[in-house]
Amino acid sequence: MTAATARTAPPAPTYTSRTARSRQLAGTGTLLRLALRRDRVMLPVWTLVIAGIIVSGVSSIGSLYATAAERAELAASMTANSSLRSLYGPVFDDSVGGLVAWRFGVFSTTLAAIMSLMIVIRHTREEEETGRQELLSAAMVGRRAPLTAALLAALLGNAAVALLVTAGVAGEGFAGALALGLAVGGTGMLFATLAAIAAQLTEGARLARGITAAALGLAFVLRAAGDAGTDDGSSVLTWLSPIGWSENVRAYGGERWWVPALIAAAVVVQGGVAYLLAGRRDVGMSFLPTRPGPAVGRLATAGGLAWRLQRGSVFGWVAGFAVAGLVFGGMVEGAADLVGDNERAREIFERMGGQSALSNAFLAAMLGMLGMIASLYIVSSVLRLYGEETSGRAEPVLANAVGRLRWAAGHLLIAFGGSVVIMLVGGLGLAAGYGQDLGPVLGAALVRLPAVWLLGAVAVLLYGALPRAATAAWAAAGISLAVGWVGPALDLPQPVMNLSPFEHLPSLPGPEMSWPPVLLLTALAAVLLVAGLVGLHRRDLMTG
């Protein structure tokens, strides 16, 4: 009789907490390299534009207000003007560095927040929505690796902005330059982690972007309301806004180093919340369920479906333009206080707007700005076609008795028609805020539409003919916005200014109406629109 040989099973592997964390982050480096490769154009452009606005402002402020007396006069006029404080924030110091931080700080911080939310959502929720993340997760990719890679990409972008700002403004004082760089880059990361939370809560990238953008808009409004009431940034409303935090770093105005530490703490807390949520859901799932459609009824037309998909966005833009119009209209009377007797400042407003009275010049400048912002709406609305196609939602619609052109026409009607509505609402708000006759202001608002339509037609052309390059339409709109916003202050050469279609339109109200450029831009937009639809009709559908 032989004894059976007992075989001892190998001991079960034991995992330490460090091993578990490493498994959660497996593949982060590969995903980060993939994200940086996909953003190899967008990320450098964003960082250079944001930092370039501030760095270029040093020379423009120095030439515009060359003497200490002129700078002190400007600071005093801004301190006394609540409407303009709400737009730019308070002036904490009348040095060149302090005026640069005042004039360009809020705008650059807002741009850094937009860059950050776009990067994070692009590489988290958008990847899940298109199904690409599910394929990647089938390999050796940890649960939290996509979120980590997205946040690292945003961190690299904001760190680059902070370093470029610090290096570019250091000539006016290193401490102030460092504080300004930390304020801009830190606030960008604050909205990056907020976008990361939104990406866990929602099922669609569009809704995640909308929630984060709404939070950014609320932050801007709170800061504006707070700064309108106080001249030192101490309002409770200002402190409720992350943009108000960046302002209260007080670069070149007695730096408060504990405020960047507060921003860093908020980044850590929000990042921790995002990581906690990411570990508690499956890929493609969300904590906020998608609202089901009505129990009865149907969408009879492709246009009805397009309206159902985009109506929330349209209502949001309408409300935003109404508020912006009222705010800008209330600032018209204070425009003269900003420039005083400074002929150089007067020239800037005239370059941004009309050629006659300063009030008309300011109105024209604000209407031009609303037009440039409306171009972001029309590009976003047109590119909804791209999102529907790449996500696979367009294919079931087109499989029925719905042609491509009919399907596209529904979205394009909302895009181009919606731009008319929001510009009219913005004009109404301006007229109401200023108390001027309605007709001239509404006419001046409508004159900006051909430039808006041209940028929308560029998006249609790229989507129809070169769908994989469709997102480049954002670059065209971004260039127009950057040139129109900072070009006059930086005294950019006219060939550079001409890159914006808004530069070619008559600067109403004020001067005489000039029809040739309006008709030419409208015709060019129509040609590009038709070319884009022809391309869409002839090409194959994308598979995502």
Side-chain angles (χ1 to χ4, degrees), residues 165-257:
V165 168
T166 303
V169 194
E172 304 300 322
F174 180 77
L178 179 61
L180 183 57
L182 290 176
V184 176
T187 308
M189 281 306 300
L190 191 64
F191 280 92
T193 51
L194 181 62
I197 294 175
Q200 311 309 312
L201 296 177
T202 63
E203 193 170 335
R206 189 178 184 88
L207 180 57
R209 278 190 289 265
I211 290 174
T212 316
L216 176 59
L218 178 62
F220 189 92
V221 170
L222 288 173
R223 180 213 58 80
D227 288 342
T230 60
D231 59 6
D232 59 357
S234 61
S235 169
V236 174
L237 294 177
T238 301
W239 281 105
L240 289 175
S241 166
I243 301 178
W245 296 3
S246 68
E247 162 187 298
N248 271 291
V249 173
R250 297 196 175 185
Y252 294 100
E255 292 79 13
R256 293 174 167 177
W257 297 108

Side-chain angles (χ1 to χ4, degrees), residues 148-478:
T148 305
L151 289 175
L152 286 175
L155 177 62
L156 289 174
N158 284 291
V161 169
L163 289 174
L164 290 173
V165 168
T166 303
V169 194
E172 304 300 322
F174 180 77
L178 179 61
L180 183 57
L182 290 176
V184 176
T187 308
M189 281 306 300
L190 191 64
F191 280 92
T193 51
L194 181 62
I197 294 175
Q200 311 309 312
L201 296 177
T202 63
E203 193 170 335
R206 189 178 184 88
L207 180 57
R209 278 190 289 265
I211 290 174
T212 316
L216 176 59
L218 178 62
F220 189 92
V221 170
L222 288 173
R223 180 213 58 80
D227 288 342
T230 60
D231 59 6
D232 59 357
S234 61
S235 169
V236 174
L237 294 177
T238 301
W239 281 105
L240 289 175
S241 166
I243 301 178
W245 296 3
S246 68
E247 162 187 298
N248 271 291
V249 173
R250 297 196 175 185
Y252 294 100
E255 292 79 13
R256 293 174 167 177
W257 297 108
W258 58 270
V259 179
L262 175 64
I263 295 174
V267 169
V268 172
V269 170
Q270 289 188 162
V273 172
Y275 272 86
L276 179 65
L277 295 176
R280 294 175 177 269
R281 67 175 183 86
D282 294 330
V283 174
M285 297 294 103
S286 64
F287 288 93
L288 298 179
T290 301
R291 189 178 64 177
V296 295
R298 62 188 180 91
L299 296 172
T301 64
L305 175 60
W307 171 246
R308 180 66 177 270
L309 293 173
Q310 299 211 42
R311 63 185 181 183
S313 174
V314 173
F315 291 146
W317 280 93
V318 167
F321 266 58
V323 173
L326 288 170
V327 171
F328 290 155
M331 295 178 183
V332 176
E333 294 295 343
D337 296 335
L338 175 64
V339 301
D341 296 327
N342 192 309
E343 292 299 326
R344 182 75 178 94
R346 186 180 296 272
E347 290 175 5
I348 286 179
F349 274 107
E350 289 179 352
R351 288 188 69 196
M352 292 178 68
Q355 305 295 321
S356 55
L358 186 60
S359 294
N360 280 341
F362 188 83
L363 275 172
M366 296 301 102
L367 284 167
M369 186 177 302
L370 289 178
M372 289 180 277
I373 297 174
S375 68
L376 301 180
Y377 159 78
I378 198 170
V379 169
S380 172
S381 186
V382 169
L383 292 185
R384 184 61 189 260
L385 290 165
Y386 176 78
E388 291 294 296
E389 183 176 345
T390 55
S391 64
R393 292 190 293 266
E395 191 171 359
V397 177
L398 297 175
N400 295 300
V402 177
R404 295 187 187 187
L405 298 184
R406 181 182 167 196
W407 167 71
H411 289 276
L412 296 182
L413 178 61
I414 294 171
F416 286 80
S419 64
V420 178
V421 173
I422 63 176
M423 285 302 296
L424 284 174
V425 169
L428 286 170
L430 270 172
Y434 180 38
Q436 196 184 46
D437 292 339
L438 184 61
V441 178
L442 286 183
L446 294 177
V447 162
R448 271 69 184 182
L449 284 173
V452 176
W453 290 339
L454 180 61
L455 292 170
V458 170
V460 176
L461 177 64
L462 289 172
Y463 167 67
L466 299 170
R468 297 190 183 279
T471 53
W474 286 113

Side-chain angles (χ1 to χ4, degrees), residues 16-38:
T16 64
S17 60
R18 178 178 298 179
T19 304
R21 285 195 297 269
S22 65
R23 290 169 61 87
Q24 293 272 326
L25 301 178
T28 298
T30 301
L31 292 180
L32 176 60
R33 290 193 296 273
L34 176 62
L36 294 178
R37 179 176 175 79
R38 293 182 62 196

